[in-house]
Amino acid sequence: MSFTGKVVIVTGASSGIGADAARHLAKLGAKVSIVGRNEKRLNQVAEQIKSAGSPAPLAIVADVTKDAQRIVDKTIKHFGKLDVLLNNAGIVIQDNVTEINLSEFDRIFDTNVRSVITLTKLSVPYLEKTKGNIVNVSSVAGLKAIPNIMTYCMSKAALDQFTKCSALDLAPKGIRVNSINPAAVRTPIFETFGVNEEQAEKMLEEYKKRYPLGRVGEVHDTSAAIAYLADDEVSSFLTGILLPVDGGSIVAGV
Ligand code: NDP
């Protein structure tokens, strides 16, 4: 698998799944535009890519809810084209139907859904030229109901419909659109919604016992699935796919 000469935008590249996907795609030869708000962490990822001997990345400190135009413009100005848009940036909060806070609902939907729509719309003219593709990072939470993360589940379900509808809309332009839908993956995301490291570790241990493959996901699992869907040789006939990366948890009904 080679991404040599391909230009990839990776949102949410300052941490977790996005950071590893950016490092992985760059190792496979891609020129990556890495996007995140945290400049320090983003620059650390840029350094890791450079010191691995991969093509020099472009670090764009930006908020996907506000800076979509700047993200696409800077990438085109710097690299001259776009082959893959990896919509990975995402956030989660704990809530349920009786405790829902509508401004938090807006914040989640702005990040997990609205920004993806905007970035996709802005990227289409460039992806049409390269016959490129889009990979969205959804979740098993889009495919099933999970207690106490209601707004997150709704946002990922909306993202999944966006993946499928935009796959149909963009197929005539030769642009493929797919998503990966991971179950629990070991990243700092758990600490972003009020769970400390120890509690996160406990949660992951619990998942591990219930997942058929006997472990939780690691970022190398998501990176491999992203690269698979983004690769035009192996996946040229795949579009509108929601790919669970879940250790068998969906089929087990976990
Ligand atoms: P992390 O918290 O480790 O990373 C989230 C990334 O999103 C960070 O780089 C963060 O960057 C970025 N981000 C969030 N909001 C914005 C914003 N407004 N503008 C730009 N960047 C933003 O989480 P993960 O790596 O775990 O999550 C990545 C994706 O994977 C998410 O969409 C998540 O829903 C999904 N996922 C994760 C699972 C898991 O168990 N870890 C399971 C299933 C899906 P910064 O703070 O620098 O802006």
Side-chain angles (χ1 to χ4, degrees), residues 140-198:
V140 291
L143 305 172
K144 62 179 186 178
I146 301 175
N148 294 318
I149 49 169
M150 187 182 76
T151 299
Y152 181 73
C153 288
M154 288 191 291
S155 73
K156 293 300 190 183
L159 178 61
D160 289 345
Q161 279 300 337
F162 180 69
T163 296
K164 291 192 275 185
C165 293
S166 56
L168 286 186
D169 292 344
L170 297 177
K173 294 183 189 293
I175 302 171
R176 300 183 298 108
V177 189
N178 294 295
S179 78
I180 62 159
N181 291 55
V185 180
R186 194 184 303 277
T187 74
I189 200 169
F190 297 95
E191 288 140 52
T192 64
F193 68 100
V195 175
N196 66 34
E197 217 177 317
E198 198 184 320

Side-chain angles (χ1 to χ4, degrees), residues 40-248:
K40 190 172 162 212
R41 288 201 314 237
L42 197 64
N43 285 337
Q44 280 168 358
V45 175
E47 277 312 311
Q48 289 160 356
I49 291 171
K50 280 186 231 160
S51 58
S54 303
L58 172 67
I60 306 176
V61 179
D63 183 330
V64 290
T65 66
K66 300 180 188 142
D67 305 318
Q69 185 79 58
R70 182 162 64 84
I71 293 165
V72 174
D73 287 352
K74 278 198 117 180
T75 301
I76 298 300
K77 192 168 176 213
H78 190 79
F79 290 124
K81 64 167 186 159
L82 179 64
D83 296 282
V84 180
L85 171 63
L86 173 55
N87 285 308
N88 162 76
I91 49 174
V92 57
I93 52 160
Q94 298 190 63
D95 66 359
N96 60 56
V97 68
T98 54
E99 286 163 15
I100 188 166
N101 170 327
L102 288 175
S103 41
E104 284 294 277
F105 174 94
D106 288 343
R107 188 170 70 89
I108 297 288
F109 266 72
D110 272 357
T111 309
N112 294 4
V113 185
R114 207 171 187 278
S115 77
V116 176
I117 299 168
T118 313
L119 276 164
T120 300
K121 194 176 168 194
L122 293 169
S123 298
V124 163
Y126 302 104
L127 293 173
E128 189 175 4
K129 282 187 195 154
T130 56
K131 303 292 168 219
N133 71 85
I134 300 168
V135 180
N136 296 323
V137 178
S138 182
S139 167
V140 291
L143 305 172
K144 62 179 186 178
I146 301 175
N148 294 318
I149 49 169
M150 187 182 76
T151 299
Y152 181 73
C153 288
M154 288 191 291
S155 73
K156 293 300 190 183
L159 178 61
D160 289 345
Q161 279 300 337
F162 180 69
T163 296
K164 291 192 275 185
C165 293
S166 56
L168 286 186
D169 292 344
L170 297 177
K173 294 183 189 293
I175 302 171
R176 300 183 298 108
V177 189
N178 294 295
S179 78
I180 62 159
N181 291 55
V185 180
R186 194 184 303 277
T187 74
I189 200 169
F190 297 95
E191 288 140 52
T192 64
F193 68 100
V195 175
N196 66 34
E197 217 177 317
E198 198 184 320
Q199 290 165 324
E201 205 43 55
K202 261 195 187 155
M203 279 171 66
L204 291 170
E205 277 304 308
E206 273 310 305
Y207 288 131
K208 195 168 143 180
K209 286 183 212 154
R210 289 189 274 148
Y211 288 179
L213 285 180
R215 65 175 181 86
V216 295
E218 303 292 343
V219 289
H220 65 81
D221 298 310
T222 44
S223 293
I226 288 165
Y228 174 78
L229 289 175
D231 184 283
D232 286 328
E233 283 184 20
V234 291
S235 295
S236 65
F237 203 46
L238 300 188
T239 197
I241 296 286
L242 312 178
L243 179 65
V245 181
D246 70 338

